[in-house]
Amino acid sequence: MGEAETEANIQLGRDIAQFADYAILNSSRGAHIKKGCLEGGMNAEKILLTSSLNEAMERVSEIQGKKVILFENDLPDNLK
């Protein structure tokens, strides 16, 4: 995305904050998305930065109730 990537990821975070209860971020873009989530009013305790898919999945399992999960497209192709 070139020069627009940072602002696009911040805007994505703002959008996430409007519709999601939690954000579990696992990518190099996570800090920018987190910034947008915070700007959008999301509680910082509900924004989780993880270092691997396994850690992200562990954190998902800790959240009680029904879940809708959006995975960013930089996950490995062998995700099952």
Side-chain angles (χ1 to χ4, degrees):
M1 292 181 63
E3 294 177 18
E5 182 175 5
T6 297
E7 183 54 39
N9 285 312
I10 293 170
Q11 183 59 51
L12 173 61
R14 290 183 198 116
D15 294 340
I16 289 170
Q18 299 308 305
F19 298 101
D21 295 318
Y22 290 86
I24 301 175
L25 308 170
N26 180 34
S27 76
S28 60
R29 301 167 199 87
H32 293 130
I33 298 170
K34 179 178 180 176
K35 179 180 179 188
C37 288
L38 292 170
E39 288 178 5
M42 183 175 267
N43 182 325
E45 293 177 5
K46 294 187 174 190
I47 305 167
L48 312 170
L49 295 174
T50 63
S51 60
S52 69
L53 174 60
N54 286 339
E55 183 184 357
M57 294 305 294
E58 287 175 19
R59 301 304 295 267
V60 166
S61 70
E62 296 169 3
I63 299 171
Q64 300 299 311
K66 293 183 180 181
K67 303 169 193 125
V68 176
I69 302 168
L70 169 66
F71 284 105
E72 194 174 356
N73 70 355
D74 66 346
L75 292 171
D77 290 337
N78 62 356
L79 178 66
K80 295 180 183 179

